[in-house]
Amino acid sequence: TFSLIAPKTIGAEGEPNEYLAFIRSEAESLRQGDRAPASATEWANRKSALRQQFAEAWGDFPARTTPPTPPEVRKVGELQREGYRVEKVLIQTLPGVWMTANAYIPNAAGKAPALLMVHGHWRGAKQDPVVQSRCIGAVKLGFFVLVVDAFGAGERGVGRALGEYHGDMTAATLLPVGLPLSGLQVFENMRAVDYLQSRPEVNPERIGISGASGGGNQSMYAGAWDERFGAVVPVCSIGNYQAYLGAACCMCEVVPGALKFTEEWGVLGLIAPRALMVINATRDSRQFSVGEAKISLKQAQLVFEALGRPQNRRHTIFESGHDYSQPMREAAYGWMTLHLKGQGSGEPIPEPPVTPEDPETLRCFPGDSRPDDWITIPNFAAAEARKLLEARGARRGDWNVEKARLRKVLADDLLGGFPKAERLELKIAKQNDSRQITFSSEQGITLIAGQQFATRKDRVLILIDLDGQDAAAQSAHAKQASEAGWSVVTLDLRATGKLAWSRDKVGRAPDHTSAQWALWIGRPLLGQWVWDIRRLIDALQQADGALPTHLAVAGIGPGGIAALAAAALDERITRVAAIESLASYVTDRPYEKQRMGIIVPGILKQFGDIADLAALVAPRPLLMNGSVSGDGASLQGAAQKETFNFTSAVYSLYSSREKLQMIPSPEPSAFSRFLNE
């Protein structure tokens, strides 16, 4: 599977990782007052608040009719098997967005209870033999089974081949539009229920859901949200949110800011009083371990008791690794049979003989036959982004009013707010023409900056490279600044450079895991980096008694977004440069050569694009040198100009258009000229 395990708090150099300890402390503080409800009335109030908070975290779902209108469906194939048939169907979940699915239909007459099977992180998705096995077993036991490919997985990847991982920079394209993949999966699974209820072979009042790993997370969230699921069986997926902190998980499992309003027990509580069986394995990773699951289930059980249905929650444990094995399947069959058929005691039911198909046989689009205009996650995200930006452009008003609003939205809502500025605990160590500055950014985060002095004391450059302080200090840009008479300050921002998590990189994202931890606590890494830069400025001011006349911040690559965001919110910064940095969050391909930490949930929806960040720098000098698109390609001159039209317009308002320099291709001498002006 794609389960990625990093349970120990150890960093790249074998020392305790300060950032992880900080994240865990923040999470514990957020949830220290948690307690289960004492009554059904208390839970009803909590439930209403939780549903509202999840709706906000997921960006609200597209409107649906009441009762829901069945989705458009296309049948593209059928397989006849002994006792059942398999239909290959396409289900339209959103305008132009199609979900590939297989429907396993028993031959028996009458309306059957239905199961929605969600696959999890098996490479073959709905076609994988592990996933097929539970579909075949269930249909032979008389269930109508629908198994679907999640958005971005199986036949719905960016490419046509099976086995693509959707959980890094593919899923990240959804964050800026405020529609995280975890929420979209809930919505699509609701549309799958709409489809099931439209089938004449299905009893629309008897529907269950089950999946393992990421599919178990889907089962939990869909089961919690959609009360049409009468039975919910998440497998090898339940632990608690705080156990994710120290491990890697797929972006489809992340609910931005969830720890600000609940723990996982609250989600399980939303399933009550309907039937819930949680299956765990003794040799699973920590975030899905038996012990962590018991923490959540203990609290959730109190909800079931408050609602008078304690018997509707069961915890089943197997001596196993991460799996959906035959014994696990048999336990699920028994639970579903009791609660969807009203038969048996809920104990395991033996699985009929199961022989999985060749995965290619089950594909709706075998081989390379998927249409060229198929909508992938980045395609969908880009279309939604363009709608948001078009609407934002139509709403723009007086810039002085808009500027204040944008800064407040950025700081308080999108970046999660900033902590109180505590004592810096400043320590200075001087050596010849350099010094080391140690300071506390906030409680639990100590940073060390290096400053190389130059001929001009009134000119200081903070140079940011998210690959670390050493990369910044050894760059050509540091050399150019020194030659121009600027004192150069570099540092490892939290979770970068020597402070990075040793197993942080997953797929295209070099900071996949640390960025996810930040999302759980509702403080995206970009906001934390902005705070580190602002506290570095505080430290420079305290160390020298005053700030220099000229204080520049420059960022290389993704560091340019951190520089722009810091300058947007701190006018002590007198000039800014973003060098080969992302020009727009809008992309119809997965992000390449970027950091997940610069991706802010909902920024396009509530604030605007990178051009809006840049506009908040006006009228101070700003250099955009060699801007790149989401896929890492350099923008041509016309494309860069169009992307930053709004930035140019704001600079023109200040009669300062000459202070905005946009260089389409990376030009080494541009930075030197910028610093010398």
Side-chain angles (χ1 to χ4, degrees), residues 220 252 330 375 461 468 474 479 521 538 580 598 622 669:
M220 175 182 72
C252 71
E330 292 174 342
I375 295 179
L461 167 68
Q474 295 166 15
K479 181 179 179 182
I521 67 167
D538 292 342
E580 296 182 64
I598 67 170
L622 170 61
S669 60

Side-chain angles (χ1 to χ4, degrees), residues 288-373:
F288 307 139
S289 65
V290 173
E292 300 298 334
K294 285 183 175 180
I295 294 172
S296 293
L297 286 165
K298 180 179 179 181
Q299 295 285 81
Q301 179 65 18
L302 297 177
V303 180
F304 280 84
E305 291 174 359
L307 298 179
R309 291 289 188 276
Q311 72 278 12
N312 279 10
R313 192 234 71 176
R314 181 177 293 182
H315 190 197
T316 304
I317 301 166
F318 290 91
E319 180 63 35
S320 170
H322 195 74
D323 201 354
Y324 202 150
S325 62
Q326 182 174 339
M328 294 173 178
R329 299 195 297 269
E330 292 174 342
Y333 301 149
W335 189 252
M336 295 292 195
T337 296
L338 171 63
H339 291 283
L340 298 180
K341 293 184 178 182
Q343 300 171 5
S345 63
E347 295 306 307
I349 291 178
E351 182 174 77
V354 167
T355 303
E357 310 271 354
D358 177 349
E360 195 70 13
T361 304
L362 293 170
R363 296 184 67 171
C364 296
F365 300 110
D368 294 331
S369 63
R370 193 181 75 183
D372 291 338
D373 61 354

Side-chain angles (χ1 to χ4, degrees), residues 432-517:
N432 299 325
D433 57 354
S434 66
R435 66 179 175 181
Q436 180 176 285
I437 305 169
T438 304
F439 63 98
S440 172
S441 182
E442 60 183 295
Q443 188 172 359
I445 297 291
T446 299
L447 302 177
I448 302 174
Q451 182 172 11
Q452 189 69 37
F453 293 115
T455 55
R456 299 283 298 271
K457 292 185 177 181
D458 64 337
R459 299 191 174 197
V460 174
L461 167 68
I462 298 172
L463 185 59
I464 303 297
D465 189 322
L466 298 179
D467 286 338
Q469 178 178 17
D470 291 346
Q474 295 166 15
S475 69
H477 305 93
K479 181 179 179 182
Q480 289 172 341
S482 294
E483 290 173 348
W486 288 72
S487 172
V488 179
V489 180
T490 57
L491 82 164
D492 288 327
L493 298 172
R494 69 183 72 187
T496 72
K498 296 184 181 69
L499 304 180
W501 176 250
S502 61
R503 294 175 291 279
D504 216 359
K505 187 178 188 300
V506 175
R508 300 177 181 89
D511 58 343
H512 173 280
T513 306
S514 57
Q516 287 186 347
W517 300 340

Side-chain angles (χ1 to χ4, degrees), residues 131-420:
V131 179
Q132 286 188 53
S133 295
R134 60 182 183 263
C135 298
I136 298 169
V139 73
K140 286 188 172 184
L141 290 170
F143 291 93
F144 184 112
V145 181
L146 180 69
V147 60
V148 300
D149 278 332
F151 209 175
E155 298 192 76
R156 304 178 70 194
V158 174
R160 291 179 170 88
L162 299 180
E164 187 177 302
Y165 178 53
H166 61 279
D168 59 347
M169 288 304 205
T170 299
T173 61
L174 293 164
L175 289 178
V177 298
L179 293 171
L181 186 53
S182 56
L184 271 180
Q185 287 181 339
V186 170
F187 178 79
E188 288 206 315
N189 288 330
M190 292 168 67
R191 292 301 278 157
V193 176
D194 296 341
Y195 165 74
L196 285 171
Q197 290 189 320
S198 74
R199 292 288 307 224
E201 306 94 336
V202 169
N203 181 338
E205 304 301 318
R206 300 286 181 175
I207 298 176
I209 185 170
S210 184
S213 188
N217 273 264
Q218 287 193 59
S219 301
M220 175 182 72
Y221 286 124
W225 191 262
D226 193 332
E227 295 182 350
R228 293 175 295 176
F229 289 114
V232 181
V233 183
V235 178
C236 288
S237 60
I238 301 300
N240 58 72
Y241 289 155
Q242 291 179 69
Y244 275 116
L245 309 178
C249 62
C250 178
M251 281 300 298
C252 71
E253 298 171 283
V254 177
V255 180
L259 275 165
K260 295 178 74 172
F261 59 85
T262 193
E263 248 293 358
E264 200 162 298
W265 73 265
V267 188
L268 298 175
L270 289 174
I271 298 170
R274 292 167 289 128
L276 169 66
M277 171 183 274
V278 170
I279 295 178
N280 285 104
T282 56
R283 300 193 302 276
D284 212 335
S285 53
R286 177 176 177 263
Q287 67 268 36
F288 307 139
S289 65
V290 173
E292 300 298 334
K294 285 183 175 180
I295 294 172
S296 293
L297 286 165
K298 180 179 179 181
Q299 295 285 81
Q301 179 65 18
L302 297 177
V303 180
F304 280 84
E305 291 174 359
L307 298 179
R309 291 289 188 276
Q311 72 278 12
N312 279 10
R313 192 234 71 176
R314 181 177 293 182
H315 190 197
T316 304
I317 301 166
F318 290 91
E319 180 63 35
S320 170
H322 195 74
D323 201 354
Y324 202 150
S325 62
Q326 182 174 339
M328 294 173 178
R329 299 195 297 269
E330 292 174 342
Y333 301 149
W335 189 252
M336 295 292 195
T337 296
L338 171 63
H339 291 283
L340 298 180
K341 293 184 178 182
Q343 300 171 5
S345 63
E347 295 306 307
I349 291 178
E351 182 174 77
V354 167
T355 303
E357 310 271 354
D358 177 349
E360 195 70 13
T361 304
L362 293 170
R363 296 184 67 171
C364 296
F365 300 110
D368 294 331
S369 63
R370 193 181 75 183
D372 291 338
D373 61 354
W374 185 261
I375 295 179
T376 65
I377 283 179
N379 297 152
F380 171 77
E384 292 297 303
R386 292 183 182 109
K387 292 178 194 174
L388 290 171
L389 291 178
E390 183 178 350
R392 160 128 177 76
R395 292 195 304 268
R396 286 193 177 110
D398 179 80
W399 174 244
N400 289 322
V401 175
E402 182 74 348
K403 178 170 66 173
R405 186 192 72 82
L406 287 176
R407 283 178 170 164
K408 180 172 176 55
V409 167
L410 180 63
D412 297 344
D413 300 336
L414 295 168
L415 299 183
F418 295 120
K420 181 181 178 182

